[in-house]
């Protein structure tokens, strides 16, 4: 029996992980689960999963959680402190599936107390990649990717030597606006942007996929997870989202991992590795798919992708600034305060302003990241 914490259990990845765990109740024992706001769902899942602890991030929902779980022996907690206390319980695996920067501190704390972090919360690596990886090394914690592309890379690397890897081919669906002209992109509505052609995901990552910031984030994620330079990562637009990514080796071989566009497989691989867990999801029908296509991304229309590369090249906390600006901009877009193209503009402008104010530094501790994140958010908020 492996013990597991699930951070962000009420979200899209969290709920996919619940489906996987329900098929393997003999192998995993659920310790703590956390949710942001949806206290009813959190309480229901705590009972269903037989969890030991349930933590609601929104403190105003604590009393509701208390009454929903009264009469059970499930311990409850709340707030940012509650998330950290959950992270401090020693477990075999922590599935990190909180969205955004909000997940950084609890996930970082888990690196010390969990043997393995199954990482969906990619913003941890975007905002604090170097520190995050160093912290994992320090505590001997394994980081297993849950992001489908990085799971694919990891799967394609099994049985090979990292140094024989020539290149990572990071596939991208291109999102709903892959073929839109710049002019058409000026009139994109929130409703259109929230409709991803292949994947069903949380709101923030769905918007990130539409702007291709998600691919930029994944490029940074790959950069920190695997021993490659930025130049060794190539984004390949593959609209069917069937190949989840590929590794090109020094002999010219390209190994790909294929699967249906659902998160179950990647989650199961991250928690089950080195074993594969049996899953009863619908199998891929290659005859139905019939064709796979590939094209180069257009970084002029999808400026977020080039901003991510720029942030990696700049180093220091440039990607922290980019992540903060993007979170502010996506939130504003979701509230109909700005247009779709404003998202990339706000990101670019925030980086420019942060550079002129010299707030992009080399972070030596998490506190430095937090300060830069706060300052970048303040800058971004002045831009709309
Ligand atoms: P989601 O919005 O569906 O769920 C996010 C979870 O985090 C929820 O449980 C929510 O309650 C919780 N949360 C939100 N704000 C919080 C806060 N301030 N404090 C504590 N908890 C908070 O998001 P998602 O689509 O499941 O994505 C989760 C993470 O996984 C993201 O980093 C995303 O980029 C990554 N990811 C998602 C998918 C996918 O298919 N959805 C695929 C790959 C990677
Ligand atoms: Mg992905």
């Amino acid at each position: 029996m492996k013990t597991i914490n699930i951070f962000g259990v009420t979200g899209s990845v969290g709920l996919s992980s619940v489906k996987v765990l329900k098929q393997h109740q003999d192998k995993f024992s659920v310790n703590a689960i956390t949710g942001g706001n949806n206290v009813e769902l959190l309480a229901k899942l705590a009972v269903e999963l037989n969890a030991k602890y349930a933590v609601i991030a929104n403190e105003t929902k604590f009393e509701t959680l208390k009454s929903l779980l009264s009469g059970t022996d499930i311990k409850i907690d709340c707030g940012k402190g509650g998330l950290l206390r959950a992270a401090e319980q020693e477990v075999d695996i922590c599935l990190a599936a909180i969205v955004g920067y909000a997940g950084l501190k609890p996930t970082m704390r888990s690196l010390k107390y969990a043997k393995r972090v199954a990482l969906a919360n990619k913003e941890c690596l975007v905002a604090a990649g170097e520190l995050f990886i160093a912290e994992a090394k320090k505590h001997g914690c394994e980081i297993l990717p849950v992001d489908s592309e990085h799971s694919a890379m990891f799967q394609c690397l099994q049985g090979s030597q990292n140094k024989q890897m020539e290149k990572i081919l990071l596939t991208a669906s291109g999102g709903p606006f892959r073929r839109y002209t710049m002019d058409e992109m000026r009139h994109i509505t929130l409703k259109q942007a929230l409709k991803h052609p292949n994947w069903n995901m949380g709101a923030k990552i769905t918007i990130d996929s539409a702007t291709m910031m998600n691919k930029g984030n994944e490029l940074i994620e790959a950069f920190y997870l695997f021993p490659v330079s930025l130049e060794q990562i190539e984004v390949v637009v593959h609209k069917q989202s069937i190949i989840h990514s590929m590794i090109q080796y020094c002999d010219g071989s390209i190994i790909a991992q294929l699967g249906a566009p659902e998160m179950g497989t990647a989650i199961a691989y991250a928690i089950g590795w080195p074993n594969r867990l049996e899953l009863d999801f619908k199998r891929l029908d290659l005859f139905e798919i019939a064709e796979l296509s590939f094209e180069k991304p257009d970084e002029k229309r999808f400026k977020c992708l080039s901003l991510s590369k720029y942030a990696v090249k700049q180093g220091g906390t440039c990607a922290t600034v980019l992540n903060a600006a993007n979170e502010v901009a996506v939130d504003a877009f979701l509230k109909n305060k700005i247009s779709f193209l404003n998202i990339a503009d706000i990101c670019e402008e925030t980086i420019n302003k942060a550079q002129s104010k010299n707030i992009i530094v080399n972070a030596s501790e998490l506190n430095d990241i937090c300060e830069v994140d706060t300052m970048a958010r303040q800058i971004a908020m002045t831009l709309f």
Side-chain angles (χ1 to χ4, degrees):
M1 273 291 214
K2 294 240 151 86
T3 51
I4 184 166
N5 283 346
I6 311 168
F7 286 0
V9 72
T10 57
S12 164
V13 171
L15 291 172
S16 295
S17 78
V18 170
K19 278 194 202 152
V20 171
L21 289 171
K22 281 189 177 163
Q23 294 181 44
H24 293 281
Q25 274 168 337
D26 54 327
K27 299 184 191 72
F28 299 95
S29 149
V30 178
N31 182 59
I33 60 173
T34 83
N37 256 309
N38 192 341
V39 68
E40 287 79 15
L41 182 57
L42 178 71
K44 180 173 163 273
L45 291 171
V47 173
E48 275 177 28
L49 294 166
N50 201 13
K52 298 200 170 50
Y53 298 85
V55 183
I56 187 80
N58 181 343
E59 287 165 333
T60 66
K61 306 268 173 93
F62 183 66
E63 289 304 320
T64 317
L65 184 64
K66 205 172 181 176
S67 67
L68 286 167
L69 291 178
S70 69
T72 72
D73 53 11
I74 301 167
K75 297 195 182 83
I76 55 170
D77 206 337
C78 69
K80 289 181 179 158
L83 294 177
L84 292 177
R85 285 185 286 277
E88 284 167 5
Q89 291 165 26
E90 289 186 3
V91 284
D92 293 304
I93 304 166
C94 174
L95 176 69
I98 293 177
V99 59
Y101 183 84
L104 178 61
K105 280 189 183 170
T107 308
M108 194 96 163
R109 189 66 60 93
S110 294
L111 295 171
K112 187 170 171 189
Y113 297 92
K115 293 193 184 107
R116 173 182 301 180
V117 165
L119 186 69
N121 191 185
K122 64 189 90 182
E123 292 88 351
C124 292
L125 287 174
V126 179
E130 242 167 81
L131 288 181
F132 194 86
I133 297 294
E135 187 74 3
K137 286 215 173 100
K138 183 172 152 194
H139 300 294
C141 179
E142 326 173 288
I143 302 175
L144 273 275
V146 168
D147 212 347
S148 57
E149 292 78 1
H150 305 74
S151 172
M153 295 165 199
F154 185 66
Q155 293 185 50
C156 295
L157 279 163
Q158 297 298 303
S160 305
Q161 289 173 20
N162 280 346
K163 63 176 193 290
Q164 295 174 338
M165 165 169 47
E166 200 167 73
K167 200 171 172 180
I168 289 176
L169 297 164
L170 168 60
T171 53
S173 71
F177 312 123
R178 185 174 53 90
R179 283 289 160 87
Y180 273 43
T181 63
M182 207 59 199
D183 206 39
E184 286 167 332
M185 286 173 86
R186 275 182 250 285
H187 309 290
I188 289 168
T189 65
L190 176 57
K191 200 171 158 213
Q192 287 172 312
L194 280 172
K195 210 176 163 332
H196 195 279
N198 305 336
W199 294 88
N200 190 359
M201 311 178 284
K204 193 242 171 194
I205 185 175
T206 303
I207 302 303
D208 284 348
S209 299
T211 60
M212 288 194 81
M213 182 59 91
N214 183 49
K215 218 40 64 177
N217 285 344
E218 291 184 351
L219 192 128
I220 300 175
E221 190 183 1
F223 177 78
Y224 285 113
L225 286 176
F226 303 104
V228 286
S229 65
L230 185 61
E231 293 69 33
Q232 283 173 290
I233 311 172
E234 179 159 19
V235 175
V236 179
V237 175
H238 163 54
K239 66 176 185 207
Q240 297 88 358
S241 297
I242 296 300
I243 296 180
H244 296 319
S245 275
M246 302 169 254
I247 300 289
Q248 180 174 312
Y249 284 97
C250 59
D251 60 356
S253 261
I254 295 178
I255 312 268
Q257 187 263 341
L258 285 70
E262 55 78 34
M263 291 302 292
T265 308
I267 293 166
Y269 199 70
I271 64 173
W273 183 85
N275 294 317
R276 284 188 183 272
L277 304 177
E278 244 175 74
L279 293 176
D280 65 3
F281 293 108
K282 188 172 172 277
R283 300 301 185 242
L284 198 60
D285 182 346
L286 288 175
F287 300 107
E288 201 178 294
I289 294 155
E291 279 178 17
L292 300 176
S293 61
F294 308 98
E295 52 193 271
K296 275 195 186 294
D298 178 350
E299 292 185 21
K300 285 209 180 76
R301 282 183 304 128
F302 295 99
K303 196 162 63 173
C304 291
L305 196 50
S306 60
L307 289 175
S308 300
K309 289 185 186 169
Y310 177 80
V312 176
K313 279 187 203 142
Q314 289 299 301
T317 49
C318 194
T320 317
V321 170
L322 176 59
N323 180 68
N326 182 54
E327 289 193 13
V328 169
V330 170
D331 185 59
F333 178 67
L334 286 169
K335 291 175 176 149
N336 272 311
K337 290 184 187 165
I338 61 169
S339 75
F340 183 76
L341 288 179
N342 283 158
I343 299 174
D345 292 341
I346 288 170
C347 290
E348 187 175 31
E349 197 51 32
T350 305
I351 291 180
N352 289 341
K353 287 215 155 64
Q355 278 171 331
S356 64
K357 290 183 176 178
N358 287 322
I359 66 166
I360 292 174
V361 294
N362 281 320
S364 52
E365 54 177 37
L366 192 54
N367 235 348
D368 300 336
I369 302 281
C370 299
E371 278 175 17
V372 171
D373 173 81
T374 305
M375 288 188 282
R377 281 170 201 268
Q378 284 163 354
I379 296 173
M381 278 189 280
T382 63
L383 300 174
F384 58 92

